Amino acid sequence: MIDILLYAGIAGLILAAICGPLGVLVTWQRMAYYGDTLAHSALLGVALGLSLQIDIQLAVLLACLLIASSLFALQLWRNTSLDSLLGILSHSSLALGLVCLSFIDGPGFDLNAFLFGDLLAVMRDDLYLLAAIGGAALVLLVIFWGDLLSMIAHAELAAVEGVKVQRLRLLLMLLIAATVAVAMKIVGVLLISAMLIIPASAAGRLARSPEQSALLAALVGMVAVLIGLGAAWHFDSPAGPSIVLTAGLIFIISHFAPGARRVSNQ
């Protein structure tokens, strides 16, 4: 019992640490719908994993990275509208995943676990994968943080100054894809975007710099994980939704905190 709670808590804290700074970049880039698109494609990865009898989390990771790369390539091709591409790929991948799942023969599986997550089912191997991807993502964010901020603030000016804008956009999209893939087991397909957006939005009310926003967003996410996990254990409620609900309550409270303000670039 203690191991279950320990693994769940560690997994949630690692996810919050990743989603904090990444969520800040997502909100500033106005890419909230992008997270939903990748989350929907995760179901397609589940279907592929079950049909090919390979590790589901690996299949989800590959599917999310493939969709992210496809989005990047399609956006460059004839400057296609990103909003249109997101809408098309989001609903198409979700529909394709659900159709594929309906044709899979074999023992039944709990679709709710994929949709809403099952944090208490996280095992040691899941922690290793989450820590590896999370550590790599955080290292890359630290290395390219300044260039990413320049790209978000003014892409054309950043390109003139020598920043590889397109490469950074691809990197950011792939990082989001990897985060969505590993977060599926924790908060589920339908709630992944919430963990990216809500803590970052709450932090943006209080922070005075991008770095403060990233750190506060990670802290808000960690607090939401600990309180939400405790509430889920005490009230026997779903862990993923409990964490997201806690993050939402923190966001509401942030509106009334002393010194709260609206960040102009959000």
Side-chain angles (χ1 to χ4, degrees), residues 19 26 37-38 44 57 77 81 95 114 130 141 200 225 229 266:
C19 288
V26 167
T37 301
L38 291 173
L44 180 58
Q57 203 157 10
W77 184 55
S81 169
F114 297 116
L130 182 60
L141 284 175
V225 165
L229 184 59
Q266 285 193 5

Side-chain angles (χ1 to χ4, degrees), residues 91-194:
H91 301 301
S92 298
S93 59
L94 176 61
L96 180 59
L98 291 174
V99 169
C100 291
L101 286 174
S102 69
F103 287 112
I104 294 176
D105 295 324
F109 59 92
D110 185 9
L111 185 58
N112 286 331
F114 297 116
L115 295 178
F116 301 107
D118 190 3
L119 182 56
L120 297 179
V122 172
M123 304 303 292
R124 186 187 299 269
D125 290 342
D126 299 319
L127 285 181
Y128 291 151
L129 178 62
L130 182 60
I133 293 179
L138 290 175
V139 168
L140 289 172
L141 284 175
V142 170
I143 293 174
F144 295 104
W145 182 256
D147 289 342
L148 285 167
L149 292 181
S150 298
M151 178 192 72
I152 293 173
H154 200 298
E156 291 78 8
L157 181 59
V160 171
E161 293 176 348
V163 175
K164 305 296 183 182
V165 172
Q166 295 302 335
R167 291 183 183 179
L168 283 178
R169 281 178 177 161
L170 177 60
L171 173 65
L172 181 58
M173 295 172 80
L174 293 178
L175 288 178
I176 298 172
T179 301
V180 166
V182 297
M184 185 194 69
K185 191 165 187 176
I186 298 175
V187 293
V189 168
L190 300 181
L191 303 174
I192 293 173
S193 291

